[in-house]
Amino acid sequence: MSFGSMKTVWCCALFLALSTVTCAKVEGCTLEPVGAEQVVKVLYTTSTVSSGCVSRRPADANLEVHILHLKYSDPSQALTKLNVSLAKGAVGCNHKTVFVLNSNSTFALLVQTEDCPISFISKEPSFVHPNRNVTMMDLPASSEELLNWARRTYGGVSSFAVLENPQHIHFQVGREPSTPENCVPESNFDAGEYLEVEVFSSEIKSCLGPGGPLRETAHVLWLEQGPRDSATQVVDVSVKRTCKGGEQRLLLVLRGQPGILWTINQMSDYMQFWASGKLSFNQISPRFLPEMALPDTIEGLIEKIDPVNRSIASFTVISSAKSITLDVLKCAEPPPAATTAAATSPPAAVTPTPSLLETLVKMLKPWRCTDHGLEIALAKFNLLALPSVTLTEITLDDPSCKARENTTHFFLSSAFDNCKTHLEGGIHAKNQLILTQASTPDKVTVPFQCDLPEKLRLQLYRSPDFAPSSSTTSVEVDKVTYVQVSLRTAEKAPLMPYDCLLQPSGMVPSQQLIREGLPLTHVEIFPDSSPKTSHFSFTYKGKGVVLSATLFCKMYLKSEKEMRFFNGSLEVKIESPSPPPHNQGLGIGAVLGITFGAFLIGVLLTAALWYIYSHTRVMAKTQPAVATLPASESSSSNHSVGSTQSTPCSTSSMA
Ligand SMILES: *[C@@H]1O[C@H](CO)[C@@H](O)[C@H](O)[C@H]1NC(C)=O
């Protein structure tokens, strides 16, 4: 559309021989608003509001009054989610909180909160949902009058903020009162202590150059504000590509103020970066790229990008951001050969402006990936935010996968191999919701993706090749066992062992294998080439009879910013080596033999004793007393008693 409006703009600064100002000739490139045909979406989070202030609470110390002035540039997008949470250190909901909501258009606000008593005073008409404690009234339009009104009504305000195109507001209540006596709005106010807003930029411009879409496209993010103090300010940048096809190279230009550290969360081979300020990549290992000097003016930057050879698909000026997501909805079209055909091709690549229902569903994210499959649960309660919408049916991409309904929800669950769900890389599940409304035959389609929950899996092997054929479920005592630990995750950071131990069943002491990342004796950790997987080996030195054990492992994923821990365990069988030789002869036959021998000895001994006894009785009549007989009887009985008595003495504690 904007190819036709080929204007030649000469933004030619004065050429001064000794100055650094160059004659910037930006031929054939005018930045123009992208309009309805959205090429990209830019979502950013910020705590800097265009106008805001804080002050002491109202006279009633148990009351908080917050004024939010919501400004929407597109009334069809006037739908905002408000999350109210308690500030750190706040003890329960001790305060009564009032939000005063004003706006330049009709708006819908979806409120999520912990169970704190909150009431709303809202401009009419608006939809505040859930519709509890909402009082509609005609509020003054200007900030000044609104503040005065609140002071008169409540005896003071806790905070005031003007929010432009807010998609999602995170607000903390229950903070310590601020010190200023009066709330006097300041522009570009930092509300970082209590407020964070997600915003879709409405300031995206583009200039597609004289030749229409070119081989390479550039996206520019121009951040106006730098860090407040001399500290470094981290800005997270993610680039998503929702469009299909078109693997043309993409240049991302990040223009910020000094002191900014750009961290790139997602990156692919086709992406190239120019950044003023430091740049680092979160993937795999932290990597810093040298700073680049980028021109100070928009014209200078455009010239450097070279619009004759690259089209500027988006140029977004953002005043301040903590994180930015660039979602490329429309890929660059194929190079020249196909360009003429593209003019007549169906407008498939054009993304129509989403309907309010689509926006709402995307915001509610009613999908969830579990270990078993996709789960959809859309609360009807939340649909009340759009009173004009009556949903009659929800299906997945496969129309036979239809959501059921109860009084409160639309719900559906399906396995991943069903309902046209695409499971990419075993982790990303993709499908779409198709919503049918009572009022219109047009269906609303909401594509979505969710990731399977992260899960740690332990697997044992007999050999260091970790081949499926050597996979096992048992550990052999005194032999090397190989362990593979893998994490199902979308992250690409390396997975490392932190603590691992083998805990045999019963009272047998455990064998620690790895402690705080270091292998202990009989353990070897293998260097790993692939992320998400880790390998080590160990030799179990257990003594005593152990039949089973549990292998516990605590692993960590280390990215530049954080370390995340995961626990996993595996039940294993223990195989003892064949018993040592001195026990070997004692088969059942030997035992029987010994028993029979003992029996024979007993019989013979008894017979002998009887013989001696009977003879001594005969001899006793002729000879004087021989005292050996009772003694020998008692000694034989003493012997048997003594042998049972000796056992308690032999128990020496092992513990
Ligand atoms: C309706 O279904 C949803 C999702 O399965 C469930 O969470 C909810 O409790 C159900 N409501 C009633 C009233 O049964």
Side-chain angles (χ1 to χ4, degrees):
M1 45 160 260
S2 50
F3 319 149
S5 59
M6 276 201 295
K7 286 179 201 157
T8 304
V9 169
W10 296 80
C11 47
C12 188
L14 287 178
F15 184 81
L16 303 170
L18 289 171
S19 82
T20 53
V21 184
T22 53
C23 185
K25 187 176 81 172
V26 189
E27 199 169 342
C29 175
T30 319
L31 287 180
E32 292 187 341
V34 287
E37 191 187 336
Q38 273 195 307
V39 176
V40 290
K41 267 197 305 195
V42 178
L43 179 73
Y44 62 94
T45 60
T46 181
S47 287
T48 304
V49 299
S50 60
S51 170
C53 56
V54 288
S55 76
R56 248 177 243 177
R57 292 228 176 90
D60 176 356
N62 284 321
L63 180 67
E64 285 183 43
V65 177
H66 302 284
I67 304 176
L68 296 179
H69 194 133
L70 312 172
K71 285 194 175 164
Y72 298 96
S73 49
D74 176 0
S76 78
Q77 298 298 302
L79 177 69
T80 299
K81 200 158 148 186
L82 170 69
N83 265 73
V84 183
S85 61
L86 269 180
K88 272 201 194 106
V91 214
C93 305
N94 296 333
H95 298 99
K96 189 173 171 293
T97 304
V98 178
F99 277 94
V100 179
L101 306 168
N102 204 2
S103 177
N104 64 336
S105 89
T106 305
F107 67 97
L109 189 76
L110 282 178
V111 185
Q112 283 186 339
T113 169
E114 292 158 40
D115 288 328
C116 288
I118 296 183
S119 52
F120 294 89
I121 307 289
S122 181
K123 181 209 166 213
E124 199 169 22
S126 63
F127 307 101
V128 179
H129 183 76
N131 195 350
R132 276 177 302 195
N133 302 322
V134 183
T135 312
M136 298 283 180
M137 63 169 74
D138 206 10
L139 291 169
S142 85
S143 301
E144 186 73 58
E145 286 171 67
L146 195 58
L147 276 164
N148 286 335
W149 171 85
R151 267 183 224 119
R152 280 198 309 276
T153 315
Y154 301 104
V157 291
S158 316
S159 81
F160 168 84
V162 175
L163 305 174
E164 318 234 350
N165 298 313
Q167 290 288 306
H168 197 158
I169 307 168
H170 301 267
F171 202 105
Q172 289 191 340
V173 297
R175 285 180 313 125
E176 284 293 303
S178 309
T179 38
E181 191 67 40
N182 277 318
C183 200
V184 182
E186 293 167 34
S187 57
N188 293 324
F189 177 74
D190 180 8
E193 271 179 55
Y194 63 97
L195 177 74
E196 190 174 283
V197 202
E198 291 172 27
V199 184
F200 272 119
S201 175
S202 56
E203 304 291 319
I204 308 174
K205 295 186 172 174
S206 71
C207 122
L208 297 177
L214 298 163
R215 209 164 28 84
E216 190 169 318
T217 53
H219 293 273
V220 184
L221 296 174
W222 180 287
L223 205 55
E224 287 180 323
Q225 282 175 30
R228 264 161 220 281
D229 15 62
S230 51
T232 306
Q233 180 188 341
V234 178
V235 180
D236 279 316
V237 179
S238 304
V239 178
K240 291 200 291 183
R241 232 177 141 107
T242 307
C243 63
K244 293 232 161 54
E247 286 296 303
Q248 284 87 359
R249 286 171 64 79
L250 189 153
L251 170 68
L252 185 62
V253 182
L254 305 168
R255 176 68 176 83
Q257 302 303 315
I260 283 188
L261 168 63
W262 304 94
T263 61
I264 309 296
N265 288 318
Q266 250 178 333
M267 188 189 111
S268 347
D269 297 337
Y270 55 79
M271 276 171 76
Q272 190 197 345
F273 294 90
W274 290 357
S276 66
K278 286 205 171 60
L279 182 65
S280 88
F281 295 93
N282 273 344
Q283 274 173 351
I284 317 289
S285 55
R287 189 151 68 94
F288 290 97
L289 257 65
E291 290 194 34
M292 250 180 108
L294 292 178
D296 286 338
T297 61
I298 290 180
E299 291 77 15
L301 188 58
I302 292 174
E303 192 202 20
K304 188 169 169 75
I305 292 169
D306 183 13
V308 175
N309 291 311
R310 284 194 195 96
S311 56
I312 300 180
S314 76
F315 195 114
T316 312
V317 177
I318 296 170
S319 90
S320 160
K322 292 177 170 178
S323 65
I324 306 175
T325 304
L326 182 85
D327 189 353
V328 182
L329 302 171
K330 190 185 173 203
C331 289
E333 273 146 46
T339 324
T340 43
T344 53
S345 69
V350 178
T351 311
T353 13
S355 72
L356 216 46
L357 176 61
E358 184 183 343
T359 313
L360 176 68
V361 172
K362 280 184 179 163
M363 196 178 266
L364 294 170
K365 295 190 172 54
W367 45 81
R368 201 162 70 93
C369 279
T370 70
D371 277 341
H372 314 291
L374 268 185
E375 282 182 11
I376 311 290
L378 180 61
K380 293 181 179 174
F381 170 73
N382 285 329
L383 293 169
L384 296 176
L386 303 178
S388 60
V389 169
T390 310
L391 276 189
T392 54
E393 189 180 276
I394 301 181
T395 71
L396 288 173
D397 195 13
D398 178 349
S400 68
C401 296
K402 201 172 137 187
R404 287 187 293 147
E405 244 184 282
N406 62 20
T407 47
T408 57
H409 289 76
F410 285 96
F411 59 95
L412 184 158
S413 24
S414 82
F416 291 119
D417 57 0
N418 220 335
C419 301
K420 296 195 186 170
T421 300
H422 297 281
L423 194 59
E424 283 181 13
I427 178 118
H428 309 292
K430 291 185 174 175
N431 203 317
Q432 51 189 15
L433 289 181
I434 297 168
L435 313 163
T436 311
Q437 300 174 66
S439 53
T440 152
D442 297 337
K443 294 180 196 274
V444 171
T445 303
V446 184
F448 66 88
Q449 168 179 335
C450 57
D451 290 347
L452 268 71
E454 287 175 322
K455 195 171 173 187
L456 202 63
R457 184 165 172 264
L458 277 64
Q459 176 64 50
L460 304 184
Y461 293 86
R462 290 245 186 269
S463 69
D465 58 5
F466 296 94
S469 59
S470 81
S471 156
T472 175
T473 53
S474 58
V475 168
E476 283 182 90
V477 177
D478 291 330
K479 284 200 180 162
V480 185
T481 301
Y482 298 87
V483 185
Q484 173 174 294
V485 190
S486 42
L487 181 68
R488 182 175 70 194
T489 178
E491 275 198 50
K492 297 216 175 79
L495 181 72
M496 315 285 279
Y498 189 76
D499 272 328
C500 287
L501 67 86
L502 191 72
Q503 175 66 65
S505 56
M507 301 294 283
V508 183
S510 63
Q511 181 177 336
Q512 182 98 30
L513 307 174
I514 294 167
R515 183 178 290 137
E516 294 184 0
L518 297 176
L520 303 184
T521 38
H522 313 301
V523 178
E524 188 187 347
I525 299 180
F526 302 125
D528 266 294
S529 47
S530 63
K532 309 183 196 188
T533 316
S534 174
H535 297 94
F536 68 90
S537 70
F538 71 91
T539 307
Y540 177 50
K541 290 288 180 187
K543 293 178 204 71
V545 183
V546 177
L547 295 175
S548 67
T550 309
L551 176 64
F552 291 101
C553 271
K554 182 179 191 175
M555 309 290 292
Y556 68 98
L557 261 193
K558 192 173 180 306
S559 66
E560 192 196 334
K561 272 190 285 183
E562 54 173 11
M563 246 168 119
R564 290 202 296 136
F565 290 94
F566 300 87
N567 291 312
S569 65
L570 180 70
E571 302 292 322
V572 300
K573 290 197 289 269
I574 300 286
E575 285 177 18
S576 301
S578 30
H582 67 269
N583 285 337
Q584 231 158 17
L586 285 180
I588 186 84
V591 172
L592 283 177
I594 291 167
T595 315
F596 185 65
F599 171 73
L600 265 189
I601 291 166
V603 168
L604 289 175
L605 190 64
T606 314
L609 285 175
W610 181 251
Y611 177 80
I612 293 166
Y613 175 66
S614 52
H615 277 251
T616 43
R617 286 263 298 243
V618 176
M619 283 161 75
K621 291 175 183 169
T622 55
Q623 280 186 355
V626 175
T628 52
L629 183 66
S632 87
E633 250 184 345
S634 79
S635 90
S636 96
S637 75
N638 265 355
H639 175 75
S640 67
V641 169
S643 73
T644 55
Q645 272 175 346
S646 74
T647 42
C649 308
S650 68
T651 39
S652 65
S653 169
M654 273 179 67

